[in-house]
Amino acid sequence: MDERYDPKRIESKWQKYWETSKLFNVKEDPDKEKYYLLEMFPYPSGNIHMGHVRNYTIGDVVARYKRMRGLNVLHPMGWDAFGMPAENAAIANNSHPAKWTYENIEKMRFQLKKIGFSYDWDREITTCSPEYYRWEQWLFLKMYKKGMIYRKKSFLNWCERCQTVLANEQVEAGLCWRCGKTVRQKKLWQWFFRITDYAEDLLAYCDKLPGWPEKVITMQKNWIGKSMGAEIRFPIENTNEQIPVFTTRQDTVYGATFMCLAPEHPLVLSLSKGTLQEEKVCEFVEHVSMQDRSSRAVESYEKEGVFTGAYCLNPLSGARMPIYTANFALMEYGTGAVMSVPAHDQRDFEFARKYGLDIVVVVNPYDDNLDSATMTEAFTGEGVMVNSGRFDGMDNVKALDEIASFLEQEGMGKKTISFRLRDWGISRQRYWGAPIPIIHCKKCGIVPVPEQDLPVLLPENADLLEGGRSPLGTLDYFAKATCPACGSPEARRETDTMDTFVESSWYYERYCSPNCDSEIFDIKAVNYWMPVDQYIGGVEHAILHLLYSRYFTRVLKDFGLVKYKEPFTRLLTQGMVCKETVSCPKHGFLLPEEVEGNGADQYCKKCGEVITLGRVEKMSKSKKNVIDPNILLEKYGADTTRLFCLFAAPPERDLEWSEQGVEGGYRFLNRVWRIALNWIESIKDATSFNGSPDLLEGRTRELFKKTHVTIYKVTKDIEDRFHFNTAISAIMELVNTMYGIDPVKNDTQDIGVMRFAMESVALLLSPIVPHFAEELWETLGFETSVLLASWPSYMEGALLKDELLIVIQVNGKLRSRFHVDVNADENTIKELALSDKRVQKFINNKTIKKIIVVKNKLVNIVV
């Protein structure tokens, strides 16, 4: 055993061994219980960051632990390789998305191996490879044939200068992130998955996910957004048309005094056409098209609208209602039309006051009568119906169902359910994505690509056009196609590509048989491995990725490809990695390596100015509060880096960066190394003591029992709670106890117990610091990997305490404490408490009224 702990040598040695021995490779084994551990796969950005390290370290501990418990563990890794970041980086670096992506995969694979993660690399998948996305295209065709997919026009963010569609994330303050020009809403053809067909089931099963965090379930429920209400039809004056409106407040329909349509609503321009309002309406629609139309952004806007020049009729009150188009009405909610009830909705109230519209009270508080002329805000509480015809005097909550039934009876509406969830638009007018397997023929219309022609290959040698535009439509060898139905050579291939969320919605199934080339996956393999037992990833994916994955699993089940509805049995959303920001008056945010000095005397290396320490925030490139994992690996090694990520905070909490924390982890491993070095000559050929603790005494007995207690605690912390920080703390305490045994004595009992303790430390540390544990295990004389050893078991009898800690109170206040033999009787405990010197000061010759003994806990002396 080397005198010094040398992480570089040790880690390189064991990484080579793991790779050549293929220790982490697995296959289906019906005789073994399976365990599928999966972390959300990364986008190949080029460098792993501390968030990756933490996420994957958490997963690796669980995977290694479960393997040592005898389970057949699947722990794969791959790359979410399509998408905008590759295009953006290609533009910034004058490269090609394919070249950039594949180079980054090579780089990141090397980095992940350097940290010692136990991945089965033979199962590696890359979503931009044709072998992967051909099956995505195959499933698209199956879904299209079954009516699960449709095409319609939809509004998107459009940059005229760049001639491209932008994601919401690429629109900054209404401007294109690339060129800085105004972004507008443009209607384009889009492909949609009918995820809303599964809305009810997706919502119902939110309550059948006991292994998921409550906050994630709540986010899923809110995104699906089920609302019980009514659809009410408002006739348009002097036409045969009606405006259907969804509302959850049908009790207030008599108070609806105007109608608001989303600017994108198809009726807006047609209603205003030929009226004096036509020009104003067109200007308003154009104005709104330049705004961010996300629900979050709309909430922050000043409420604006324009009268369309048309009226509709309130179906119950008969009132004539002016029809407005308003910026707060959204096509994505309900029907894109809002019956506005200003007396009982604050937004409508403010709009009515602004534009001088009628306000009619239809619900009074139980103890007051409202006057619309003097109201300063809308009344949204419960109360009694007024100005509501036959429903006057009724409690408004009861009236909800009564009015809905009446509308249904009279043919004016119906009871209905609405969901916030909208069908999933999967079209992307971008290059770097999976081609949509559709051909457009002038004669035949939309024609699916025949299955035998899959995959539709993305031409990886094509260059992006100016501004990052997709070249697919300009490439005749790609875009021109022969119609499979009629044989026309004039057909055109679909040039949109699929949303990258499609790739990540089924990758976990592909891992089960990544090399299967005859079907989407080997059904037998999927039946063995799925569902995923433990899924780990960031809470930022709590809605879309997880919801789409749940939806895709249901689609696969409907096709008879899987037997389950939910893909992930348990979910852990780990916290963020955070660090304080550092800035300089001249150069703004600084990287850690751009700062010199310590404590209050820190300066900018560039200009010498005193730096300012900012808030502790999530590590981000923009604020430069990042730590490059490669620096840690070089200075401390992978095991110390892993140890810090696990010890600094429980996995669900944010982890705050601390140089001292990393140093502390490194010191601990050196401490374990030294005690092993001190004892190895004595224990290397010894037999581990596994007898009764009753055969031991003194510190040797204490160490033996402490080892069993530690095994118990570490097992519980990993198995039940994933509290790796407290598990590591318990191992540290055990090592402290080991230092209490003198290696010079060489007592036979000491040697046997120390051997047992050292073996236990190696086993317990194995999932956490695997290279270190492998080296220690080999040093102890074992010829096979520590990962192939069984997880240590604890002796129930050894968990029993020899002593109890008893707290002493005087008149209920803590005054002292002492240890007593576990078998001490009550009189002995009383005598020890009364003889305690600190307690005697508080008794001070006073009369003792009584002594209360709470068994095994405390003594309360009442004076």
Side-chain angles (χ1 to χ4, degrees):
M1 187 175 187
D2 292 347
E3 288 288 324
R4 289 179 61 255
Y5 167 49
D6 182 358
K8 281 188 181 178
R9 182 192 66 79
I10 292 171
E11 289 168 9
S12 174
K13 167 187 170 181
W14 289 105
Q15 285 163 18
K16 286 176 185 174
Y17 168 75
W18 294 333
E19 186 142 12
T20 55
S21 67
K22 293 192 176 294
L23 188 63
F24 310 133
N25 290 24
V26 291
K27 59 183 180 181
E28 299 79 55
D29 185 348
D31 296 328
K32 291 184 74 174
E33 181 184 352
K34 68 92 181 179
Y35 191 84
Y36 188 172
L37 187 288
L38 184 64
E39 304 99 4
M40 295 178 187
F41 63 170
Y43 182 80
S45 58
N47 288 295
I48 59 169
H49 52 67
M50 288 304 297
H52 287 133
V53 176
R54 188 186 191 201
N55 184 3
Y56 303 149
T57 300
I58 291 167
D60 197 53
V61 172
V62 180
R64 287 173 176 273
Y65 166 77
K66 292 291 184 179
R67 196 183 302 265
M68 294 176 74
R69 297 286 289 187
L71 277 67
N72 195 24
V73 178
L74 174 59
H75 189 206
M77 176 50 69
W79 313 99
D80 191 8
F82 271 141
M84 285 188 308
E87 291 189 10
N88 298 342
I91 295 167
N93 300 304
N94 195 26
S95 181
H96 188 279
K99 181 175 183 290
W100 187 84
T101 298
Y102 291 127
E103 286 177 353
N104 286 347
I105 287 173
E106 291 295 320
K107 198 185 304 182
M108 290 180 72
R109 186 191 301 113
F110 174 78
Q111 291 174 318
L112 292 178
K113 287 184 177 181
K114 203 173 177 182
I115 305 175
F117 297 131
S118 59
Y119 296 129
D120 181 351
W121 284 106
D122 285 357
R123 293 176 181 266
E124 180 181 10
I125 58 173
T126 305
T127 60
C128 64
S129 70
E131 293 78 16
Y132 184 85
Y133 66 73
R134 71 167 290 191
W135 296 110
E136 195 168 296
Q137 294 172 340
W138 174 83
L139 189 60
F140 181 100
L141 295 177
K142 296 266 290 181
M143 293 170 69
Y144 180 75
K145 186 177 180 181
K146 197 174 178 181
M148 294 176 159
I149 299 175
Y150 64 93
R151 188 173 183 249
K152 73 169 185 177
K153 280 193 169 182
S154 180
F155 284 95
L156 298 168
N157 301 315
W158 177 260
C159 176
E160 193 67 34
R161 179 167 178 176
C162 295
Q163 287 290 295
T164 189
V165 168
L166 302 176
N168 287 336
E169 296 79 21
Q170 293 179 309
V171 181
E172 300 170 352
L175 304 177
C176 172
W177 71 282
R178 279 201 194 101
C179 68
K181 298 299 179 183
T182 301
V183 173
R184 59 169 298 162
Q185 297 289 299
K186 186 174 182 178
K187 209 169 192 179
L188 294 171
W189 285 104
Q190 297 283 288
W191 288 97
F192 289 86
F193 287 169
R194 295 185 189 274
I195 189 173
T196 51
D197 287 353
Y198 294 86
E200 191 72 65
D201 195 57
L202 287 166
L203 183 64
Y205 270 74
C206 283
D207 293 325
K208 300 177 183 180
L209 297 169
W212 284 39
E214 191 60 42
K215 65 177 179 181
V216 175
I217 291 172
T218 300
M219 291 165 79
Q220 292 256 315
K221 286 181 176 180
N222 291 343
W223 189 262
I224 296 167
K226 184 177 181 179
S227 299
M228 309 288 288
E231 182 187 284
I232 307 175
R233 295 186 283 275
F234 290 74
I236 301 174
E237 190 177 61
N238 300 323
T239 74
N240 292 321
E241 291 188 84
Q242 296 178 323
I243 301 174
V245 170
F246 172 78
T247 180
T248 58
R249 290 297 308 274
Q250 59 268 26
D251 58 315
T252 64
V253 64
Y254 282 89
T257 59
F258 59 97
M259 177 72 65
C260 285
L261 302 178
E264 303 88 355
H265 197 291
L267 283 174
V268 169
L269 295 179
S270 63
L271 289 176
S272 62
K273 192 171 183 179
T275 72
L276 296 176
Q277 294 296 110
E278 182 175 7
E279 185 177 346
K280 287 184 179 178
V281 169
C282 289
E283 288 176 357
F284 181 76
V285 170
E286 178 68 15
H287 165 68
V288 173
S289 75
M290 302 294 185
Q291 296 179 334
D292 181 352
R293 295 293 287 155
S294 65
S295 57
R296 181 180 295 178
V298 167
E299 283 296 316
S300 66
Y301 295 154
E302 181 186 350
K303 307 303 178 277
E304 297 178 311
V306 171
F307 176 45
T308 63
Y311 291 84
C312 63
L313 301 177
N314 188 314
L316 291 190
S317 71
R320 193 167 179 244
M321 298 166 54
I323 303 172
Y324 276 71
T325 178
N327 64 348
F328 60 78
L330 295 168
M331 279 303 296
E332 67 183 45
Y333 183 77
T335 63
V338 178
M339 72 166 206
S340 296
V341 186
H344 305 292
D345 182 279
Q346 187 59 29
R347 181 188 59 193
D348 295 345
F349 180 86
E350 292 168 6
F351 192 88
R353 285 282 192 246
K354 181 174 181 176
Y355 292 103
L357 299 166
D358 292 343
I359 298 176
V360 175
V361 174
V362 292
V363 180
N364 269 330
Y366 293 116
D367 57 355
D368 194 11
N369 291 316
L370 299 175
D371 181 355
S372 61
T374 59
M375 288 176 71
T376 57
E377 62 181 2
F379 172 65
T380 58
E382 295 179 10
V384 179
M385 302 285 290
V386 294
N387 300 320
S388 298
R390 64 170 63 201
F391 303 101
D392 280 356
M394 188 179 291
D395 189 287
N396 78 302
V397 175
K398 183 181 178 183
L400 284 167
D401 189 61
E402 295 284 339
I403 291 177
S405 297
F406 180 73
L407 288 165
E408 209 156 37
Q409 292 165 16
E410 299 299 315
M412 301 173 180
K414 61 181 179 179
K415 295 177 182 178
T416 190
I417 296 170
S418 180
F419 290 92
R420 181 177 182 269
L421 180 67
R422 287 291 174 262
D423 281 338
W424 177 8
I426 60 106
S427 295
R428 295 294 179 268
Q429 292 70 35
R430 314 202 64 85
Y431 160 66
W432 191 238
I436 294 174
I438 289 291
I439 290 171
H440 300 278
C441 175
K442 290 181 181 179
K443 180 181 176 183
C444 305
I446 294 173
V447 183
V449 171
E451 283 187 23
Q452 63 267 25
D453 292 345
L454 298 180
V456 177
L457 291 171
L458 181 74
E460 292 192 2
N461 58 347
D463 293 322
L464 296 174
L465 302 181
E466 186 179 352
R469 290 182 294 126
S470 171
L472 296 180
T474 68
L475 303 174
D476 285 348
Y477 67 86
F478 177 82
K480 282 190 174 182
T482 299
C483 176
C486 71
S488 169
E490 300 300 318
R492 300 278 295 176
R493 196 176 296 283
E494 174 66 68
T495 56
D496 283 357
T497 53
M498 290 195 224
D499 179 9
T500 53
F501 274 119
V502 179
E503 281 89 63
S504 60
S505 294
W506 68 282
Y507 76 107
Y508 38 87
E509 268 112 4
R510 186 67 183 173
Y511 276 139
C512 298
S513 54
N515 300 313
C516 181
D517 59 5
S518 59
E519 52 189 335
I520 187 169
F521 43 69
D522 183 321
I523 292 176
K524 286 184 179 178
V526 166
N527 285 341
Y528 177 79
W529 290 114
M530 287 293 292
V532 173
D533 294 281
Q534 181 67 60
Y535 199 34
I536 302 173
V539 74
E540 65 271 19
H541 301 296
I543 299 176
L544 294 183
H545 164 59
L546 292 173
L547 187 65
Y548 292 156
S549 296
R550 297 178 63 216
Y551 158 67
F552 241 65
T553 303
R554 283 159 171 77
V555 170
L556 293 170
K557 186 174 189 298
D558 282 352
F559 284 122
L561 295 169
V562 302
K563 296 179 178 179
Y564 47 87
K565 280 189 175 183
E566 293 296 339
F568 313 120
T569 303
R570 293 183 66 186
L571 173 71
L572 171 68
T573 53
Q574 88 280 358
M576 298 180 293
V577 181
C578 305
K579 185 184 181 301
E580 64 189 3
T581 56
V582 179
S583 59
C584 158
K586 286 187 180 179
H587 297 100
F589 289 118
L590 299 175
L591 291 165
E593 55 266 31
E594 294 173 334
V595 179
E596 58 184 351
N598 294 298
D601 299 319
Q602 295 187 67
Y603 306 92
C604 172
K605 284 184 179 179
K606 298 177 182 179
C607 64
E609 290 276 351
V610 176
I611 59 94
T612 301
L613 295 178
R615 293 185 306 168
V616 173
E617 300 183 49
K618 177 186 176 183
M619 286 189 180
S620 69
K621 291 179 182 177
S622 61
K623 295 189 176 177
K624 296 189 176 182
N625 61 334
V626 292
I627 298 295
D628 183 354
N630 292 312
I631 295 174
L632 294 180
L633 296 176
E634 183 65 26
K635 185 175 180 181
Y636 298 103
D639 283 335
T640 296
T641 305
R642 291 169 61 116
L643 188 65
F644 168 71
C645 288
L646 297 166
F647 186 57
E652 70 278 5
R653 297 274 191 88
D654 288 350
L655 182 155
E656 186 175 338
W657 168 257
S658 163
E659 185 79 38
Q660 293 79 11
V662 180
E663 289 278 2
Y666 188 65
R667 285 196 303 271
F668 169 66
L669 292 181
N670 275 280
R671 185 168 164 79
V672 178
W673 189 268
R674 285 194 303 274
I675 197 168
L677 186 67
N678 292 341
W679 277 93
I680 195 63
E681 288 303 317
S682 301
I683 66 174
K684 65 180 181 180
D685 297 319
T687 301
S688 177
F689 179 82
N690 63 354
S692 168
D694 294 338
L695 301 174
L696 305 170
E697 58 185 24
R699 290 192 171 184
T700 307
R701 175 186 171 89
E702 180 189 350
L703 175 58
F704 182 75
K705 290 174 70 74
K706 182 68 172 179
T707 304
H708 281 284
V709 168
T710 305
I711 293 169
Y712 171 81
K713 178 160 179 51
V714 172
T715 303
K716 288 291 183 183
D717 283 347
I718 296 178
E719 184 75 44
D720 298 342
R721 306 186 301 160
F722 289 0
H723 278 198
F724 312 116
N725 57 327
T726 54
I728 293 167
S729 181
I731 300 171
M732 289 177 171
E733 288 181 18
L734 173 59
V735 172
N736 288 340
T737 305
M738 291 167 72
Y739 267 94
I741 308 293
D742 187 354
V744 178
K745 285 173 58 181
N746 273 336
D747 179 90
T748 304
Q749 277 194 344
D750 286 355
I751 290 171
V753 171
M754 183 59 74
R755 170 81 192 194
F756 168 64
M758 198 70 73
E759 286 180 11
S760 299
V761 167
L763 292 166
L764 296 175
L765 284 176
S766 175
I768 298 163
V769 286
H771 313 84
F772 185 95
E774 289 276 24
E775 188 72 11
L776 182 56
W777 192 248
E778 184 184 66
T779 301
L780 287 168
F782 294 100
E783 295 180 356
T784 57
S785 168
V786 68
L787 194 62
L788 298 176
S790 295
W791 186 256
S793 58
Y794 53 86
M795 187 185 295
E796 291 283 354
L799 301 181
L800 299 174
K801 294 180 179 179
D802 290 337
E803 290 185 331
L804 296 172
L805 176 65
I806 303 295
V807 169
I808 313 175
Q809 297 176 342
V810 177
N811 291 341
K813 292 184 179 180
L814 176 65
R815 298 306 184 190
S816 189
R817 50 174 63 88
F818 65 95
H819 285 91
V820 66
D821 187 279
V822 70
N823 296 313
D825 60 26
E826 189 171 304
N827 287 331
T828 302
I829 292 172
K830 286 180 181 179
E831 289 173 9
L832 288 169
L834 290 171
S835 64
D836 187 282
K837 290 182 179 179
R838 279 174 290 183
V839 169
Q840 287 177 354
K841 291 179 184 177
F842 292 97
I843 297 175
N844 197 22
N845 297 321
K846 295 176 183 173
T847 302
I848 297 173
K849 295 180 179 178
K850 60 180 174 178
I851 301 174
I852 303 167
V853 177
V854 179
K855 189 177 180 181
N856 298 339
K857 287 186 178 180
L858 64 84
V859 177
N860 184 20
I861 303 168
V862 181
V863 295

